[in-house]
Amino acid sequence: MAQLNTSLGPGSTLLALLLTAAAPLLAQSAPPATAAHEWTTAEDHQHMLAQLGITQLRPGPSGKATDPNFANVDEAKANRYPVWPQLLTLATGTAATTAEQWKQQRRPQIVEAFERDIIGRIPARVPAVQWSVTATADGKLGSVAVSGKQLVGHVDNSSYAAIDVNIELTLVLPNNVKGPVPVMIIFGGRKLQQGVGNEAVPGFGPPGATPVASDPPAGEQLVAAGWGVAYLNPVSVQADNGAGLTKGIIGLVNKGQPRQPQDWGALRAWSWAAARALDYLATDQAVDGKRVGIDGVSRYGKAALVTMAFEPRFAVALIGSSGEGGASPYRRDFGEMVENLTAMGEYHWMAGNFLKYGTAASSFGSMDASQLPIDSHMLIALCAPRPTFISYGVPEQGDALWLDQQGSYMATVAAGQVFRLLGAKDLGTNENYQTARMPAVNHGLLEGELAWRQHDGGHTDGPNWKYFIPWAARELKVGVGR
Ligand code: GCU
């Protein structure tokens, strides 16, 4: 106070008194938040490497065929590590042979490994989300009249006011269905007027138009089948880059400071947001909260698989072209590799600990994919027995070999063991994952709870929606007993 007096001069005594009186009050409210740590992706990446004691990462291969370090796409050389971690062998070495042992013992071990080393942990105390409707609109998708809501999920930031996270969700429901409808949450932003068909969506032609030579957009197909659709904007929750890790929901919980090695990455943060959207949908009387699914393509296909694996309330999933970090096995040397995911452009999707598996030099030596405690077949298995549809396109149309469709098929086959143990049907091909070969393009394996279809389009799940919707309706008994 003395200092205050001198610096403010003689007239400031009253102000000083007022401040003194207010001091206990000020002490009770939250201290003013210092701004979130601002730095570049390179700095954040380097900081994580330093925390882990890593001095050098192995570089990943290139995705460009003309580059000298182009990724391997020769199937004969792909299975460098042909034996993957056992799905049903407990950490003690004994076999899990019953559904109960899977649920009580093996599944938690796999969950723990994924959380510790691959996708990171959701912090124990993530602030609550409050949903509100900010706008409504009516429109038409194809011939179906729809109503839409723009929703915002505000994350309580009283613990750290410098970061404000507002989850953007656009919900569109068909008007002609009585009673609560099943809903697919799709990772990808779509504003209200786009969602209800009043405004063009870039890449989809004028409002109401059916894109040439392809199927109607997913939303239109869904409402025609009596489903609702909800578009979740992932980057409203967590930016898709490393510089953003001190902000968004990850930064909010860390009070603007960098991540620790076990903290969640963007895939887990996006999946957390999908679970919060499901919290909201479960309260909406027009929605059947027990029949809500999740969909995404590419990096959001990875996020959709993480969502389905870790949030048991999701009833069904469509996993589009998810590649490395999704359905594609880390142990295969084909297309994208662990070393790409650990690099600056992608490490933010993962936990910091994941970087260890791309290490060339460090205080703990070198490590590679063969040392991962898990592989992608286990992520798919965590979805069991709930209906899970693995979707890809073809390289000729732009669904690059980089994604390793064949390896993803092998992982889907391998995951079948857990679906069967839990009384669900897998792909039904009776193959060994090591020798399994993808079925012909456009030949869906859609008889069971675990499904596979490679369509003849590109890097999209668009052409598979017309197979997914009836399959999901059958699996979830949509319209039966409502
Ligand atoms: C890159 C990345 C893939 C990812 C894709 C996408 O190609 O290597 O892992 O799936 O981007 O999200 O579009």
Side-chain angles (χ1 to χ4, degrees):
M1 275 309 143
Q3 219 179 7
L4 222 163
N5 272 333
T6 31
S7 60
L8 292 180
S12 63
T13 317
L14 183 61
L15 176 65
L17 277 174
L18 281 174
L19 282 173
T20 313
L25 264 181
L26 287 172
Q28 271 164 30
S29 59
T34 49
H37 201 78
E38 283 284 351
W39 58 6
T40 62
T41 291
E43 286 166 329
D44 185 86
H45 190 239
Q46 188 48 50
H47 182 261
M48 183 53 75
L49 293 177
Q51 283 189 68
L52 295 164
I54 299 174
T55 45
Q56 205 189 338
L57 287 173
R58 268 185 310 280
S62 160
K64 264 211 217 131
T66 48
D67 285 350
N69 63 336
F70 180 48
N72 177 50
V73 289
D74 178 356
E75 185 55 39
K77 296 186 189 145
N79 294 308
R80 193 199 287 175
Y81 304 116
V83 181
W84 302 345
Q86 295 280 331
L87 265 170
L88 291 177
T89 305
L90 296 167
T92 54
T94 54
T97 53
T98 64
E100 215 40 40
Q101 280 174 322
W102 164 259
K103 281 183 211 149
Q104 302 298 332
Q105 299 177 52
R106 186 58 182 142
R107 194 180 192 283
Q109 290 170 355
I110 295 173
V111 163
E112 164 61 19
F114 268 101
E115 295 196 319
R116 187 188 58 231
D117 276 4
I118 318 296
I119 57 168
R121 300 183 194 283
I122 296 181
R125 263 178 235 96
V126 184
V129 174
Q130 188 163 8
W131 285 98
S132 53
V133 179
T134 56
T136 59
D138 293 327
K140 227 174 176 194
L141 294 180
S143 59
V144 180
V146 294
S147 18
K149 281 185 203 173
Q150 184 64 62
L151 291 141
V152 172
H154 174 70
V155 184
D156 177 1
N157 64 343
S158 53
S159 65
Y160 189 67
I163 295 178
D164 197 14
V165 179
N166 294 294
I167 311 172
E168 292 170 19
L169 185 74
T170 304
L171 175 64
V172 179
L173 301 176
N175 291 344
N176 58 357
V177 184
K178 288 218 167 25
V181 295
V183 169
M184 284 300 292
I185 298 179
I186 296 182
F187 278 122
R190 191 165 286 204
K191 301 268 177 234
L192 181 61
Q193 295 298 339
Q194 297 173 333
V196 299
N198 295 340
E199 253 175 40
V201 179
F204 282 94
T210 301
V212 185
S214 76
D215 301 323
E220 190 176 319
Q221 293 189 49
L222 283 163
V223 296
W227 292 61
V229 58
Y231 302 96
L232 174 60
N233 183 4
V235 296
S236 66
V237 181
Q238 189 61 45
D240 190 12
N241 56 55
L245 288 169
T246 53
K247 298 171 207 152
I249 188 63
I250 297 175
L252 171 55
V253 179
N254 284 339
K255 298 193 166 38
Q257 293 307 302
R259 290 190 302 168
Q260 307 276 309
Q262 294 197 13
D263 282 354
W264 45 348
L267 297 182
R268 196 85 205 264
W270 293 333
S271 75
W272 169 86
R276 301 292 70 78
L278 176 52
D279 293 344
Y280 165 77
L281 293 175
T283 66
D284 189 323
Q285 309 229 313
V287 173
D288 181 349
K290 296 233 161 9
R291 292 184 176 93
V292 175
I294 185 74
D295 162 73
V297 174
S298 211
R299 66 201 61 193
Y300 300 136
K302 308 179 208 301
L305 186 52
V306 168
T307 305
M308 185 67 169
F310 283 84
E311 176 51 72
R313 290 177 302 151
F314 276 95
V316 64
L318 176 55
I319 311 300
S321 300
S322 57
E324 190 84 6
S328 158
Y330 297 107
R331 279 173 176 71
R332 291 246 307 171
D333 179 1
F334 193 101
E336 187 166 22
M337 304 281 284
V338 163
E339 288 77 6
N340 299 99
L341 281 180
T342 59
M344 262 194 283
E346 302 183 356
Y347 78 102
H348 62 279
W349 294 338
M350 318 299 288
N353 265 342
F354 185 78
L355 301 188
K356 292 191 295 191
Y357 298 95
T359 300
S362 72
S363 55
F364 52 85
S366 73
M367 282 178 89
D368 72 7
S370 68
Q371 286 155 295
L372 282 162
I374 50 77
D375 218 311
S376 64
H377 61 314
M378 293 173 152
L379 192 58
I380 302 171
L382 293 180
C383 304
R386 293 161 295 147
T388 306
F389 187 127
I390 309 293
S391 163
Y392 278 95
V394 291
E396 302 76 48
Q397 297 296 327
D399 205 37
L401 280 174
W402 183 244
L403 299 157
D404 193 9
Q405 292 86 353
Q406 164 60 27
S408 302
Y409 178 72
M410 293 163 75
T412 310
V413 168
Q417 203 183 7
V418 175
F419 280 78
R420 292 194 306 272
L421 181 68
L422 300 181
K425 272 199 222 148
D426 68 351
L427 298 180
T429 57
N430 263 323
E431 291 163 293
N432 177 308
Y433 74 86
Q434 288 169 320
T435 50
R437 287 291 169 267
M438 277 191 291
V441 171
N442 289 339
H443 180 77
L445 300 174
L446 309 175
E447 298 301 313
E449 278 70 33
L450 184 56
W452 166 273
R453 191 172 186 278
Q454 183 182 26
H455 59 73
D456 59 8
H459 194 47
T460 166
D461 58 5
N464 268 346
W465 277 100
K466 62 178 176 288
Y467 298 92
F468 170 82
I469 295 170
W471 168 84
R474 181 195 78 207
E475 287 295 329
L476 300 183
K477 301 185 171 59
V478 170
V480 178
R482 266 217 306 259

